[in-house]
Amino acid sequence: MVARSAKPPEQEPTPASQRVGAILWPSFFVAGVITTVFFTIVDPERLREITFPSLQLSRELGYSLGFFLFWLATASSSLFTWILLRPSWQVKRGFHSGNAP
C-alpha cells in the first residue's frame, strides 16, 4: 500500500491578468453571439415599449444595454465556474497567494 502525501505539489500561481482574461474574453464572445441572435428576433424599441414605456431609449442604446447585460450574465457564469473549479487546497488557503492558512 502506497501512502499519499496530504499536501499536493505547489503550482505557480496564475497571473491575475490571465485569470481575468479567461473570464472576460469567452463571456465577451458569447455575449456578442447572444446579442446578435436575440436582436434579430427582438426589436429594442418594441421591447422598451413593453417593459419601460416611460423611458426614451434609442435603438442603439437598447443594443448596447442588451450587449452589456448579456456580457454581465455570461461573465458571472464564467466567474462562478472558475470559483467552483479551484482545487480544494486553494479554497482552504483562501484567495490570497501568501502562506497564511
Side-chain angles (χ1 to χ4, degrees), residues 48-70:
R48 178 198 46 87
E49 290 172 7
I50 295 169
T51 56
F52 301 105
S54 62
L55 292 177
Q56 294 300 320
L57 303 175
S58 68
R59 182 172 278 129
E60 291 81 12
L61 183 58
Y63 290 136
S64 299
L65 289 174
F67 170 77
F68 284 113
L69 287 173
F70 287 134

Side-chain angles (χ1 to χ4, degrees), residues 5-14 87-90 93 96-100:
S5 67
K7 187 176 179 184
E10 284 293 321
Q11 297 177 352
E12 285 267 330
T14 307
S88 62
W89 62 268
Q90 191 178 22
R93 190 174 69 183
H96 308 290
S97 61
N99 294 333

Side-chain angles (χ1 to χ4, degrees), residues 1-59:
M1 183 153 122
V2 178
R4 292 185 178 185
S5 67
K7 187 176 179 184
E10 284 293 321
Q11 297 177 352
E12 285 267 330
T14 307
S17 61
Q18 187 176 357
R19 290 190 306 252
V20 170
I23 292 169
L24 291 182
W25 174 244
S27 61
F28 177 84
F29 177 75
V30 172
V33 172
I34 292 172
T35 302
T36 303
V37 171
F38 181 79
F39 286 121
T40 57
I41 300 168
V42 178
D43 179 21
E45 288 186 348
R46 180 72 181 126
L47 183 62
R48 178 198 46 87
E49 290 172 7
I50 295 169
T51 56
F52 301 105
S54 62
L55 292 177
Q56 294 300 320
L57 303 175
S58 68
R59 182 172 278 129

